[in-house]
Amino acid sequence: MARPERKTKHGAMSDTETTRYDFSLSEPHWQAQWEQAGCFKAEDVPAGDKPKYYVLEMFPYPSGKIHMGHVRNYTLGDVVARYKRAQGFDVLHPMGWDAFGLPAENAARENNADPASWTYANIANMRAELKRMGFSLDWDREIATCDPDYYGQQQKIFLDFWKSGLVERRGGYVNWDPVDMTVLANEQVIDGRGWRSGAIVEKKQLSQWFLKITDFAPELLAGLKTLERWPERVKLMQENWIGFSQGAEVTFPLTAPVDGIETVTVYTTRPDTLFGMSFLAIAPEHPIAKAVAASNAEAAAFLAECASQGTSEAAIETAEKKGFFTGLKVKNPLTEQDYPVWIANFVLMEYGTGAIFGCPCGDQRDYEFASKYNLPIPVVVSPSPDTLPELQGKALDGDGYIVNSGFLTGLTVAEAKKQAIAELEAMKVGKAVTNWRLRDWGISRQRYWGCPIPVIHCEACGPQAVPDDQLPVALPKDVSFEKPGNPLDHHPTWRHVACPKCGEAATRETDTFDTFIDSSWYFARFCAPRAATPTNVDAVKHWLPVDQYVGGIEHAILHLLYARFFTRAMERTGHVTVQEPFAGLFTQGMVTHESYKDADGRWLYPDEVVKTGNGATHRDTGLPVTVGRVEKMSKSKRNTVDPGVIVERFGADTARWFVLSDNPPERDVEWTETGVQGSFRFVQRLSRLGALIAGEPMVDAPAVLEGEAKKLLKLTHKSIAAVTEALDTFAFNLAVARIYELAGNLAGTTPEDASLLYARRVAMDIIARLSAPMMPHLAEDIFAKLHPGSGLVAQQPWPKADPALLTVDEVTIAVQVNGKLRGTITVPAGQPAEQNIAVAAEAVSTALAGQTIVKQIHVPDRIVNFVVKPA
RNA sequence: GCGGGUGUGGCGGAAUGGUAGACGCACCGGACUUAAAAUCCGUUGGGGCUUUGCCCUGUGGGGGUUCGAGUCCCCCCACCCGCACCA
């Protein structure tokens, strides 16, 4: 694609090139104009009475360069921000950096760089890239979570949570790399081994800080119902994650005590199937398992094997089901029989009581376990009350009736649950309990590049809060990454302080916060980013909740749930006045691209690949290249396209228009070069059309419009209505399609009379206004040509469709015979059924010949269907 | 493994239970040009016929509800996201 300033070989600009829209001049120009006019500034606490609208996109991790996912995310948010501004809202649209995290430490270890310098350099680069995109952001509000200004306020919030009883210290499991002597993130565990050392990873228990998110489980669940502008699927995922369940705890006596332990308590949602018990299984971390392992080498070996499984739930659940018989037995209080106690690798210590009873008939996992270890499979569930089903390699885990189960026999599953619990309670061996899948949030990380946990450990006084006047607890800059583990641990001086209570020598907590904390309250900080307290209550009262939050679907659970919890906890501690942070949520799909590999199996970047007729070759070597799957853009697969290059070659508007046009925003988008060129051509076409029409004589509105002019004006108003509706529903690809349609129709008219001159100018003006949220620079350019000296389109109100011009006079109706299309008729809109049926019968007379009409269906302005049979 | 999604021409997609394929890309044909680029106009799901037009078929696969199903229901397949220390 030729650059606009390229000269022809004669050294002079050709005609087409002189009329080209030069984005490289236009885009910086309009960005400067917006800046000068302060179009996108917001006040912490505005004085006016304009309605507020807070648009926020998930802030980026400063990895170094913006990627296409960012371009898409921030373009979507910017369309909303600009659209809402045009609709008369006072818009808050800030930007910041989720700046703590592992990659900075990895970069530090690899290049011996300092995480802070690395991060701030990345921020500087990415800020410049974002600015080139022309997003309508209030850059005065920029924050970075690694600024002591920010994380110091975060430390205050944590201490307030602690005072309010929302913080706990207890043991938690981590992935431990025994060679590198360091804690690993789940993503650093590959097939059970440390990503650098290759050592088998161990589960290890450490003392950790926890936030008591489980205290909020009921209200986090109930709160979902109030989130009307959240995608259903996200609410459903959160609901399942919180995982409310009603069941029972049942206590089984061990036939012989072990290490002083006499009973095992299980949690079950199926007390109705207690008569179908086959075994009892405990988690490898269960106290009984440990007691057994203490005197049994085989058991200890099994526990060690389980410990090498990793801590992630996916790893545990996908691993082959394995068990170890402890030799212990328990008595089932209902059947009064004894059952073996197994240690099983699929039982989670964190859920319920860390022990389950196995009923193979009613649970598929139990069925597989029993089959594998030849345990009995008693049949206690049946689809009907008086037949015994054959289990065909599968458990009956649906609804049905209880059979073979003493006093529960013949009852429905639901009724049997109630009766079983009543009996267990009467026997004092069990009780009904409500259980949650949600676990408390472990927030301790054994890493340097995060927010220090503001706690001082004193041998005499225990853990103490860092006093307010000593905040922020800042990260030391002089750290070394040469040793494995957390640099804060081996810093010579940083950790040594006096106990705030007794004044004796004490040590700082060297763990830092989970970075999810940083992103759990930034939306509140944005309301008053320079406030001396974590939030300015007047500002958050005005701006929160966020009216529209936009981000990736991959955050559907963790980030969004943590932010919801944090908001409630902040409300309880007086930092905000709302319970829910995000009133509206939109989750976008990912940006994907073809991936490429050379003959040696190395991934190649798209710009290293030349597409040929029947395949692809390497740009430099000419060797064949394998075109792989279309998948999420990622550095490791090298299937990334640098937005910087795209903006350089085609301009920000083209990039914005393309990411909006090609598919619905909630779906994944595939980046294609040809699609970008198509968008670029449209930018050029629209610019030419704008210049052409701006050059036509200006005329007053004619008294009566007819023919082509009326048609164009009606289409223009139809387009206003359609684009407005599309923007309201995030159907940005449809908004784009409607603008294409209007522009195409406009270009097809000729200014042959005053009516058409008028209608063309109106249509062009509307195109500029409707496309302004999406292609803001070009829209300004066209608007300025149409209305010299009338200010910025960024400050113009949104156009309104004239209802009088939205009426339809004539409709084309489908005519069907037995539901199959046999013709169409064009009739006046709203014509009664009788007349339409008569016209329709005439239109499909050949298809009706020799048939008897059994029924006639008429849907006004839509369809006529004759149901016929042979005469 | 569990939870949540998605599936429509060569490609991205459009379609309140009512004419499947809007709009864009690509392709092909034409105009303009010494030529190319750019631009403009037009065709295009597949198959068939007695070709002003008509018929059959078609929305991942299989069944069902309905006058009528891409859309609603059941079963299956493939792919994607998440799974608590990646952000």
Side-chain angles (χ1 to χ4, degrees):
Chain A
M1 190 69 52
R3 288 291 310 278
E5 61 269 32
R6 195 181 69 175
K7 302 270 170 59
T8 67
K9 60 185 164 189
H10 303 295
M13 295 287 234
S14 75
D15 281 354
T16 49
E17 282 185 342
T18 50
T19 57
R20 273 202 171 187
Y21 170 64
D22 188 349
F23 64 84
S24 68
L25 295 177
S26 169
E27 291 182 351
H29 170 75
W30 293 116
Q31 286 163 17
Q33 294 291 303
W34 297 327
E35 172 81 34
Q36 206 177 2
C39 292
F40 313 133
K41 298 293 170 220
E43 301 292 325
D44 291 359
V45 186
D49 53 0
K50 262 180 150 184
K52 70 96 184 178
Y53 201 91
Y54 185 176
V55 186
L56 184 66
E57 302 100 45
M58 292 177 185
F59 64 166
Y61 177 79
S63 57
K65 283 183 162 189
I66 64 168
H67 54 65
M68 280 304 166
H70 294 133
V71 170
R72 194 179 196 203
N73 194 177
Y74 304 138
T75 301
L76 294 174
D78 198 47
V79 171
V80 176
R82 288 175 179 272
Y83 171 58
K84 288 293 172 184
R85 246 178 239 114
Q87 284 191 320
F89 288 92
D90 186 23
V91 170
L92 174 60
H93 188 207
M95 180 57 69
W97 310 96
D98 189 13
F100 277 135
L102 268 180
E105 286 195 31
N106 294 335
R109 287 210 159 79
E110 275 159 28
N111 318 322
N112 208 21
D114 146 49
S117 314
W118 183 85
T119 302
Y120 282 108
N122 287 348
I123 287 175
N125 186 51
M126 289 173 72
R127 184 194 299 117
E129 290 184 305
L130 288 182
K131 286 193 170 182
R132 277 200 289 278
M133 292 299 301
F135 297 132
S136 63
L137 294 161
D138 182 355
W139 281 103
D140 291 350
R141 290 176 181 273
E142 180 180 351
I143 53 181
T145 57
C146 63
D147 286 345
D149 272 353
Y150 182 85
Y151 69 71
Q153 302 297 342
Q154 184 164 299
Q155 290 166 343
K156 284 187 203 168
I157 296 174
F158 169 80
L159 294 175
D160 282 348
F161 285 3
W162 197 8
K163 275 181 221 147
S164 302
L166 300 173
V167 176
E168 244 177 39
R169 187 166 170 80
R170 58 169 187 261
Y173 289 97
V174 296
N175 299 305
W176 178 255
D177 185 322
V179 170
D180 279 353
M181 302 289 282
T182 188
V183 175
L184 298 177
N186 281 335
E187 73 155 13
Q188 297 173 322
V189 179
I190 319 260
D191 297 328
R193 290 170 183 272
W195 66 338
R196 286 189 205 286
S197 69
I200 301 230
V201 169
E202 295 164 8
K203 247 188 228 185
K204 188 178 170 185
Q205 197 171 39
L206 293 182
S207 228
Q208 310 257 299
W209 293 97
F210 285 84
L211 293 184
K212 289 166 76 181
I213 188 172
T214 52
D215 283 5
F216 291 72
E219 52 180 294
L220 287 170
L221 179 63
L224 291 172
K225 299 235 178 346
T226 67
L227 300 173
E228 288 164 17
R229 293 194 297 114
W230 276 44
E232 284 305 320
R233 58 176 166 153
V234 174
K235 289 192 275 186
L236 200 53
M237 280 190 262
Q238 292 219 348
E239 189 179 322
N240 290 334
W241 184 263
I242 296 167
F244 172 80
S245 77
Q246 278 179 309
E249 275 183 11
V250 187
T251 300
F252 295 82
L254 283 160
T255 53
V258 52
D259 200 23
I261 303 170
E262 293 181 351
T263 60
V264 196
T265 299
V266 305
Y267 173 76
T268 178
T269 56
R270 295 297 302 272
D272 52 309
T273 60
L274 271 165
F275 284 88
M277 181 167 181
S278 169
F279 58 92
L280 187 142
I282 57 176
E285 298 82 20
H286 196 280
I288 292 177
K290 287 179 182 164
V292 170
S295 59
N296 181 331
E298 245 185 288
F302 181 72
L303 293 199
E305 192 191 333
C306 292
S308 70
Q309 215 172 224
T311 58
S312 88
E313 195 176 311
I316 292 166
E317 299 267 348
T318 50
E320 188 192 346
K321 309 272 174 288
K322 280 186 188 165
F324 179 84
F325 177 47
T326 59
L328 303 170
K329 296 207 164 183
V330 289
K331 187 183 281 296
N332 179 328
L334 294 186
T335 63
E336 300 202 313
Q337 297 193 3
D338 294 347
Y339 299 88
V341 176
W342 287 67
I343 303 167
N345 65 351
F346 62 87
V347 179
L348 303 172
M349 192 61 216
E350 289 93 349
Y351 183 71
T353 60
I356 60 157
F357 85 86
C359 171
C361 174
D363 183 281
Q364 186 60 27
R365 278 195 310 193
D366 295 352
Y367 188 96
E368 282 162 23
F369 191 80
S371 304
K372 177 164 179 175
Y373 292 105
N374 286 318
L375 296 163
I377 303 179
V379 175
V380 291
V381 187
S382 172
S384 80
D386 35 39
T387 57
L388 280 185
E390 289 278 317
L391 295 185
Q392 287 161 339
K394 260 179 21 187
L396 294 167
D397 48 11
D399 261 346
Y401 295 86
I402 300 302
V403 292
N404 272 346
S405 295
F407 66 95
L408 300 175
T409 300
L411 299 175
T412 62
V413 165
E415 187 56 29
K417 280 182 186 173
K418 277 189 218 160
Q419 297 279 333
I421 290 170
E423 182 64 16
L424 291 167
E425 284 178 344
M427 293 171 73
K428 300 202 188 315
V429 292
K431 59 180 181 193
V433 285
T434 293
N435 201 15
W436 303 86
R437 207 187 76 96
L438 185 65
R439 309 199 296 256
D440 274 336
W441 178 10
I443 51 170
S444 298
R445 298 292 181 268
Q446 297 68 39
R447 310 196 198 292
Y448 166 74
W449 192 234
C451 170
I453 299 178
V455 170
I456 293 166
H457 295 281
C458 173
E459 265 187 44
C461 312
Q464 299 296 314
V466 172
D468 226 33
D469 59 5
Q470 292 176 27
L471 293 180
V473 176
L475 285 170
K477 293 201 172 79
D478 51 338
V479 287
S480 157
F481 284 91
E482 277 159 29
K483 287 190 216 167
N486 183 352
L488 293 177
D489 276 332
H490 20 81
H491 190 276
T493 56
W494 183 78
R495 59 186 305 195
H496 302 292
V497 285
C499 169
K501 195 171 172 192
C502 68
E504 294 297 313
T507 54
R508 285 193 191 283
E509 169 79 58
T510 57
D511 284 356
T512 50
F513 284 134
D514 179 3
T515 56
F516 269 123
I517 291 193
D518 311 337
S519 54
S520 287
W521 71 286
Y522 75 111
F523 45 87
R525 185 70 183 165
F526 271 141
C527 299
R530 314 289 169 239
T533 46
T535 60
N536 169 338
V537 172
D538 290 328
V540 293
K541 207 179 264 178
H542 177 77
W543 288 111
L544 292 181
V546 173
D547 294 278
Q548 187 63 59
Y549 196 38
V550 187
I553 184 67
E554 68 273 18
H555 294 291
I557 295 175
L558 289 180
H559 161 59
L560 290 168
L561 190 64
Y562 289 142
R564 292 183 61 221
F565 156 67
F566 226 78
T567 302
R568 281 167 193 272
M570 287 174 77
E571 195 262 349
R572 195 172 286 190
T573 48
H575 292 291
V576 300
T577 55
V578 293
Q579 305 242 305
E580 288 290 344
F582 313 121
L585 172 69
F586 186 86
T587 51
Q588 58 169 23
M590 293 174 310
V591 180
T592 65
H593 195 280
E594 277 181 342
S595 53
Y596 310 100
K597 270 188 188 175
D598 66 13
D600 300 331
R602 278 188 307 243
W603 297 102
L604 299 172
Y605 290 108
D607 61 10
E608 293 178 293
V609 175
V610 179
K611 290 284 194 82
T612 56
N614 48 3
T617 57
H618 194 281
R619 176 192 58 193
D620 301 330
T621 64
L623 294 170
V625 166
T626 311
V627 177
R629 297 188 347 184
V630 173
E631 46 195 319
K632 179 177 177 176
M633 283 192 181
S634 75
K635 276 188 199 156
S636 61
K637 307 234 166 91
R638 297 194 164 183
N639 61 339
T640 52
V641 173
D642 180 0
V645 173
I646 299 295
V647 172
E648 174 77 11
R649 285 175 64 198
F650 301 106
D653 280 341
T654 294
R656 295 169 61 116
W657 188 250
F658 173 70
V659 296
L660 293 168
S661 67
D662 215 40
N663 73 354
E666 67 273 17
R667 259 193 249 180
D668 291 352
V669 63
E670 186 192 348
W671 184 272
T672 58
E673 177 81 10
T674 49
V676 177
Q677 292 181 352
S679 295
F680 182 73
R681 279 201 294 271
F682 183 67
V683 168
Q684 296 300 331
R685 193 152 70 229
L686 208 54
S687 172
R688 276 196 304 275
L689 194 58
L692 178 72
I693 289 174
E696 289 171 5
M698 283 175 80
V699 294
D700 290 334
V704 187
L705 276 181
E706 274 173 351
E708 283 295 298
K710 186 180 177 190
K711 227 169 105 184
L712 180 59
L713 201 67
K714 286 191 81 157
L715 179 67
T716 301
H717 281 259
K718 202 176 128 191
S719 303
I720 295 172
V723 170
T724 304
E725 152 105 24
L727 295 187
D728 281 335
T729 56
F730 266 86
F732 297 156
N733 55 322
L734 299 188
V736 165
R738 295 287 82 84
I739 289 172
Y740 267 119
E741 187 182 33
L742 179 57
N745 278 276
L746 169 57
T749 60
T750 44
E752 53 204 20
D753 57 28
S755 292
L756 271 159
L757 280 170
Y758 170 76
R760 277 163 65 89
R761 191 169 281 270
V762 170
M764 197 64 230
D765 174 61
I766 293 301
I767 288 173
R769 292 165 191 262
L770 293 182
S771 60
M774 299 178 265
M775 297 192 283
H777 311 89
L778 176 60
E780 294 290 1
D781 226 65
I782 295 173
F783 187 80
K785 287 193 177 94
L786 291 173
H787 312 275
S790 302
L792 296 163
V793 76
Q795 294 174 318
Q796 291 292 312
W798 193 248
K800 282 201 174 62
D802 179 354
L805 289 166
L806 292 177
T807 55
V808 179
D809 308 326
E810 249 185 6
V811 289
T812 300
I813 295 184
V815 183
Q816 298 178 338
V817 176
N818 284 348
K820 291 195 177 198
L821 182 71
R822 285 293 176 267
T824 58
I825 54 173
T826 301
V827 295
Q831 179 163 274
E834 234 172 81
Q835 291 169 48
N836 279 349
I837 287 170
V839 180
E842 183 64 26
V844 296
S845 54
T846 36
L848 292 176
Q851 308 284 326
T852 307
I853 296 174
V854 181
K855 200 173 171 186
Q856 297 169 347
I857 313 260
H858 176 253
V859 180
D861 291 349
R862 281 263 170 206
I863 211 153
V864 174
N865 186 12
F866 296 103
V867 184
V868 300
K869 61 177 185 191

